[in-house]
Amino acid sequence: MMSESSLLRNAIMIMLIALIVGALASIASISFVSAVVWLNDVLQVSIEIREKDTHSFLKIGIFILVPVVGGLLVGLILTDLPEGRPESLVQTIRMSQSMVFKPSFINALKTAIASVVTLGSGASLGQYGPISHIGATLGLATERLGSRYGFTSNMGIGCGVAAAISTVFNAPIAGLVFAHEVIIRHFSLKLFAPIAIASVVGYLVANHIFDRHQLFYVPEVGGIKPEEFLVFALIGVVGALIATAFVRMMLYFTDVSRRLNTPHWLKPPIAGAGMGLVGLWVPEILGVGEPVMQKLLVGSGYPSSELFIILALKLVMTAICFGFGLAGSVFSPSLLCGILFGALISMISASVMGTHYSSATPYMVCGMVALVGPVMGSPLTVILIVFELTRNYDLAVAAMVSAVFANLLGYRLIGRSMFDMQLERQGFDLSMGREKVMLSDQKIDAWISNKFSLLVGETSLDIAKQAILNSGNSNLYIVDNQHRYLGSITLNDIVRKEQEAFDLSKLLCKDYAVEQIIFSSDLSIWEAMERIRDFTGESLPVVDKKDNYRLIGVIYEASLISAYIETLEIARSEEHGGRKE
């Protein structure tokens, strides 16, 4: 156990490092957003495109060419990454849950640059995922400096993500909850304080050093009628259905992209071409969509037919941009689509409910929550964002009703989030918790033992019997002259033959060797434990399948149990670690 002075010193250093991570992540987030806004202005990517002279063939060509060139640059930037696709919070979640932290800072930098180019050239994706990934990467980089004081990798990830979300949303509580809810996925007192500090620092840097404006302004809301809460519940249900269709559409276009027989670097410009053509007709779908969000929230909206068109095209074009490998997240598009959906419901409610209708704002906020919650797996975060941005308790309660019903249905249709569906496609199943993930990421090669009894198949059973008795093991492994595994023999097998009045000296091991469950060294501990569910015995053979099933060792059942217990200890030490550390 550490001394009181050492504990105090480590606590102070952890808080100091959390502060540094929060400040760095906040500055990086502001820089990222500013770069995107600057590029949008330079490339004239905005909803004001309607006011331009679109009768000029030159300008029409430029409007279409900008996202195509942007997509081409993104493809070239990401060409060295797996499948030419950008990194995202999926990698962050995987590292956090598996406790295997192997970040590629070069890949993270390429993803950040590609994201700026993607969003700056008008692609229909969002900035909050890349910002959070940048924050997590900075946190992991800083962890190397603080590991001696107990500053862990998950602390770094949580601090970076929380500060990024706090910065862009002006919502420090939501930033704290997002890090726990979406990334770390457990509530730990060990991690709470540093992540909270980083989140507050992000908020202070954004508001008091850079004087950042609020993400969007929500006007004052009058008294919400009790009967409207039934509509808010319905918004949650329908929102979950839209979210499900949205996620499946993204995965569908991802599959379409992978089936295309074209180089990876050519796929983003294909999506860019689609964005250019559709954006020329409906410019509201271009980019992050904050101006459209704000226009809707302050009441300068669109007719219902136009709202529906924008909503449908935004969903489809976001799915195409995502599927074809452009860099960015779907948080911002989900926000906009949710607000558009809520605005449509608001119009219907206003005509049907009459005096029982309050205003459009609660409907748009509830639509936003109903869509974002299931897609991102963050119902608590979006409720807190609403509360922190509006300071309106009634509006937060209305949002909570929609979030509850969206979660009830969305959880069954999508799962925890879109991230989990992506991870499952990578063979990374989080449905049974982080312990399974950690065990799935560990190979049995570290637990292979060379302490086992071995005989060549031409050996007689009487010699085999004596070898087992001398070794103290319960079974004997049999190989041929090339050391290829043939099977195993137990003492019970030999005794049974002896009781049947057989002359053991005339019986050869190779004729009575029984094949057991066979492991290879690249097998995960989780898969090994699954295979021995009904196994009774002491050990199992590990072979090299590429080398004619050569026996390279054995894995003892006790070793697998030890590996499982050690994994539990690692996971629980972060979740429940206390003073003794």
Side-chain angles (χ1 to χ4, degrees):
M1 183 178 290
M2 298 177 67
S3 66
E4 297 283 349
S5 59
S6 296
L7 288 170
L8 180 60
R9 180 199 63 201
N10 286 359
I12 292 172
M13 290 303 299
I14 287 173
M15 297 301 104
L16 180 60
I17 295 169
L19 188 151
I20 293 170
V21 173
L24 291 175
S26 182
I27 293 169
S29 300
I30 293 169
S31 302
F32 183 95
V33 173
S34 299
V36 171
V37 172
W38 176 78
L39 258 183
N40 285 163
D41 291 340
V42 170
L43 300 176
Q44 300 180 342
V45 176
S46 68
I47 60 174
E48 285 74 21
I49 190 174
R50 285 176 184 263
E51 301 171 3
K52 299 182 183 294
D53 181 15
T54 54
H55 297 293
S56 164
F57 286 106
L58 177 61
K59 289 190 176 182
I60 290 175
I62 292 173
F63 298 154
I64 295 174
L65 195 60
V66 164
V68 175
V69 174
L72 182 59
L73 288 174
V74 168
L76 294 173
I77 292 169
L78 301 176
T79 188
D80 293 332
L81 272 66
E83 294 188 355
R85 300 184 68 85
E87 290 191 343
S88 68
L89 283 180
V90 170
Q91 282 78 22
T92 305
I93 293 170
R94 178 165 186 159
M95 283 191 292
S96 175
Q97 296 305 300
S98 66
M99 303 288 282
V100 177
F101 303 97
K102 296 179 179 178
S104 170
F105 298 107
I106 297 298
N107 287 353
L109 179 61
K110 288 181 178 180
T111 296
I113 296 171
S115 298
V116 171
V117 174
T118 294
L119 302 175
S121 57
S124 180
L125 287 169
Q127 57 191 352
Y128 308 124
I131 286 171
S132 299
H133 186 59
I134 291 169
T137 304
L138 288 171
L140 282 171
T142 314
E143 179 271 338
R144 295 181 178 180
L145 301 175
S147 57
R148 71 177 70 177
Y149 306 108
F151 189 86
T152 66
S153 295
N154 260 344
M155 277 184 193
I157 287 175
C159 288
V161 169
I165 294 297
S166 174
T167 297
V168 294
F169 282 102
N170 279 334
I173 301 174
L176 169 67
V177 173
F178 183 83
H180 282 281
E181 183 179 31
V182 177
I183 309 298
I184 298 173
R185 305 200 176 192
H186 63 80
F187 183 81
S188 167
L189 287 177
K190 180 178 180 179
L191 303 183
F192 174 80
I195 294 176
I197 286 176
S199 191
V200 171
V201 168
Y203 172 79
L204 293 175
V205 169
N207 283 272
H208 297 285
I209 297 179
F210 290 94
D211 194 23
R212 296 286 299 175
H213 67 276
Q214 190 165 300
L215 177 64
F216 48 77
Y217 170 74
V218 180
E220 290 292 329
V221 179
I224 299 174
K225 307 296 191 298
E227 51 270 31
E228 288 185 295
F229 281 89
L230 294 174
V231 184
F232 301 153
L234 179 63
I235 287 175
V237 172
V238 179
L241 294 175
I242 296 174
T244 302
F246 183 37
V247 169
R248 290 180 178 170
M249 199 163 23
M250 286 188 283
L251 297 177
Y252 168 76
F253 281 113
T254 301
D255 291 338
V256 169
S257 171
R258 284 173 175 156
R259 288 197 297 267
L260 280 179
N261 190 24
T262 58
H264 294 311
W265 59 271
L266 275 179
K267 294 175 182 179
I270 294 174
M275 278 302 307
L277 291 169
V278 178
L280 188 66
W281 174 40
V282 184
E284 286 82 3
I285 70 166
L286 292 169
V288 176
E290 285 183 17
V292 182
M293 273 190 267
Q294 191 59 66
K295 186 176 180 180
L296 288 165
L297 287 169
V298 298
S300 304
Y302 302 86
S304 58
S305 58
E306 200 166 344
L307 279 175
F308 181 80
I309 290 172
I310 296 170
L311 173 59
L313 290 176
K314 186 71 176 177
L315 289 170
V316 173
M317 292 312 301
T318 300
I320 291 174
C321 289
F322 176 88
F324 278 72
L326 283 165
S329 71
V330 296
F331 200 144
S332 301
S334 299
L335 284 174
L336 176 56
C337 290
I339 291 172
L340 289 164
F341 163 61
L344 278 170
I345 300 297
S346 169
M347 290 181 177
I348 298 171
S349 299
S351 62
V352 173
M353 300 181 69
T355 57
H356 298 284
Y357 170 82
S358 58
S359 67
T361 301
Y363 293 85
M364 289 188 284
V365 168
C366 287
M368 176 184 76
V369 169
L371 213 64
V372 175
V375 172
M376 304 299 294
S378 57
L380 285 176
T381 300
V382 289
I383 293 169
L384 285 169
I385 287 174
V386 169
F387 184 69
E388 290 193 89
L389 288 180
T390 66
R391 304 293 197 271
N392 188 309
Y393 184 79
D394 291 338
L395 198 56
V397 172
M400 184 172 69
V401 171
S402 292
V404 166
F405 281 88
N407 177 261
L408 279 172
L409 185 58
Y411 186 78
R412 285 154 182 78
L413 295 175
I414 298 175
R416 178 163 183 144
S417 70
M418 182 192 72
F419 302 126
D420 288 38
M421 294 185 76
Q422 291 177 269
L423 286 169
E424 188 175 354
R425 284 178 158 221
Q426 299 173 11
F428 194 82
D429 185 9
L430 281 167
S431 61
M432 295 185 66
R434 68 202 306 237
E435 289 81 9
K436 177 185 176 181
V437 170
M438 295 170 70
L439 290 168
S440 297
D441 260 21
Q442 294 183 58
K443 305 303 179 184
I444 64 170
D445 54 358
W447 300 90
I448 295 175
S449 173
N450 293 319
K451 296 179 180 179
F452 60 97
S453 300
L454 177 72
L455 282 179
V456 177
E458 302 297 332
T459 308
S460 64
L461 285 185
D462 61 334
I463 296 176
K465 177 182 177 181
Q466 194 59 47
I468 292 178
L469 292 173
N470 293 338
S471 69
N473 295 322
S474 62
N475 61 339
L476 192 66
Y477 290 95
I478 310 301
V479 296
D480 62 12
N481 292 327
Q482 284 75 44
H483 212 73
R484 183 172 66 91
Y485 174 71
L486 300 178
S488 65
I489 296 177
T490 66
L491 182 60
N492 287 337
D493 294 333
I494 298 174
V495 170
R496 194 177 298 115
K497 291 299 178 184
E498 193 173 35
Q499 290 174 346
E500 293 173 2
F502 282 103
D503 183 357
L504 296 182
S505 64
K506 296 182 180 180
L507 302 180
L508 301 181
C509 290
K510 67 177 183 179
D511 297 324
Y512 296 94
V514 178
E515 284 198 11
Q516 294 176 288
I517 301 169
I518 300 174
F519 290 163
S520 56
S521 59
D522 60 350
L523 194 72
S524 72
I525 293 175
W526 178 266
E527 291 174 302
M529 294 182 70
E530 284 280 291
R531 292 192 188 182
I532 67 168
R533 191 188 292 259
D534 300 318
F535 171 74
T536 54
E538 180 182 54
S539 62
L540 286 163
V542 182
V543 302
D544 186 347
K545 292 182 179 179
K546 295 180 180 179
D547 188 14
N548 202 24
Y549 280 73
R550 181 176 59 85
L551 184 66
I552 58 177
V554 301
I555 187 85
Y556 285 93
E557 193 173 22
S559 297
L560 293 177
I561 295 172
S562 297
Y564 176 70
I565 292 173
E566 284 187 16
T567 300
L568 280 181
E569 288 175 348
I570 293 170
R572 296 298 177 261
S573 68
E574 178 180 85
E575 297 173 24
H576 307 293
R579 179 183 170 86
K580 67 180 181 180
E581 296 177 67

